[in-house]
Amino acid sequence: GAGVSQSPSNKVTEKGKDVELRCDPISGHTALYWYRQSLGQGLEFLIYFQGNSAPDKSGLPSDRFSAERTGGSVSTLTIQRTQQEDSAVYLCASSFAPGTTDTQYFGPGTRLTVL
Amino acid sequence: GESVGLHLPTLSVQEGDNSIINCAYSNSASDYFIWYKQESGKGPQFIIDIRSNMDKRQGQRVTVLLNKTVKHLSLQIAATQPGDSAVYFCAARSMEYGNKLVFGAGTILRVKS
């Protein structure tokens, strides 16, 4: 497709379970970002991938959070042993060439609810 | 550290009027700024951006103004329409923090018909 896609659109899980969220960036975009948005809040940076460089993980809130990007394209954000405070919308964005315009294009997000 | 914040959490305007949404940033090294619009249930949508070597940039019905002296950014929407109702976020980037964008908390724009 033409835009960033994310799946699933909604995920309800029980506390303590692991979840995987998927992001398909725009074709040709070298940079991929994950953000978290809590209800009525701004976007909180989680992790950033650029090409083959080591990812910038400085925003990950705990070691329960991890992400990988395979083949420089699709990315998966994994949350282990989910907690209720992990409930939020998880947004993925991609950009063509960070360091120049860095216009990030966002997907629709995955709404995660931890019961 | 970097922080970006908005002066007004909610703005209500009459259809047809102009809207001005304000944003302040803390890092004088910020070199790139973006405004995003987010409608309910959707991801943020790019509106307009501006580099620090500019103080004004215009798009279709939107204008972004940058005042580096007071570290202030504004988004002006001309002839506001009901479809403009959304949450608006400003974001700033400085190379000091890599390529991450730092987002403000958002301003809700409500357009009254």
Side-chain angles (χ1 to χ4, degrees):
Chain A
V4 178
S5 60
Q6 293 185 245
S7 61
S9 55
N10 282 284
K11 176 71 176 179
V12 180
T13 190
E14 294 179 346
K15 178 182 174 181
K17 296 286 181 68
D18 297 352
V19 295
E20 285 189 351
L21 312 179
R22 177 188 168 104
C23 172
D24 284 87
I26 293 172
S27 178
H29 280 193
T30 62
L32 187 147
Y33 309 78
W34 283 98
Y35 294 88
R36 179 169 68 176
Q37 185 176 33
S38 300
L39 185 64
Q41 301 295 314
L43 279 70
E44 174 190 6
F45 167 80
L46 296 176
I47 188 169
Y48 155 59
F49 296 90
Q50 166 54 31
N52 295 321
S53 301
D56 178 349
K57 304 179 182 179
S58 60
L60 294 178
S62 77
D63 58 8
R64 296 188 295 106
F65 288 73
S66 63
E68 58 181 30
R69 188 178 185 193
T70 55
S73 181
V74 172
S75 178
T76 302
L77 176 69
T78 301
I79 308 173
Q80 296 178 311
R81 305 180 302 281
T82 52
Q83 303 295 312
Q84 289 183 333
E85 60 263 29
D86 299 334
S87 296
V89 175
Y90 289 82
L91 290 158
C92 174
S94 68
S95 66
F96 179 66
T100 56
T101 64
D102 197 33
T103 300
Q104 296 179 24
Y105 296 91
F106 283 83
T110 293
R111 181 174 297 277
L112 175 65
T113 303
V114 182
L115 301 177
Chain B
E2 171 76 83
S3 71
V4 183
L6 297 171
H7 295 308
L8 299 174
T10 304
L11 177 65
S12 294
V13 298
Q14 195 67 37
E15 180 179 0
D17 288 351
N18 296 334
S19 303
I20 299 176
I21 302 171
N22 295 303
C23 179
Y25 61 97
S26 62
N27 191 338
S28 57
S30 296
D31 64 349
Y32 179 63
F33 306 87
I34 305 179
W35 281 100
Y36 285 93
K37 171 186 179 183
Q38 187 175 27
E39 296 173 284
S40 181
K42 298 183 179 180
Q45 177 187 2
F46 171 84
I47 301 174
I48 192 168
D49 59 1
I50 189 168
R51 295 184 172 280
S52 58
N53 62 353
M54 304 172 68
D55 54 20
K56 180 179 180 179
R57 191 167 187 214
Q58 289 184 292
Q60 186 177 10
R61 281 201 308 118
V62 294
T63 300
V64 55
L65 298 177
L66 175 63
N67 185 330
K68 295 182 288 294
T69 302
V70 296
K71 291 182 284 189
H72 184 268
L73 191 70
S74 69
L75 176 70
Q76 300 179 0
I77 304 173
T80 313
Q81 303 169 0
D84 294 328
S85 294
V87 179
Y88 289 80
F89 294 95
C90 64
R93 183 196 73 186
S94 67
M95 295 310 296
E96 178 181 357
Y97 297 101
N99 289 310
K100 301 189 290 288
L101 289 175
V102 177
F103 284 80
T107 290
I108 300 171
L109 176 64
R110 292 198 176 103
V111 182
K112 298 176 287 186
S113 298

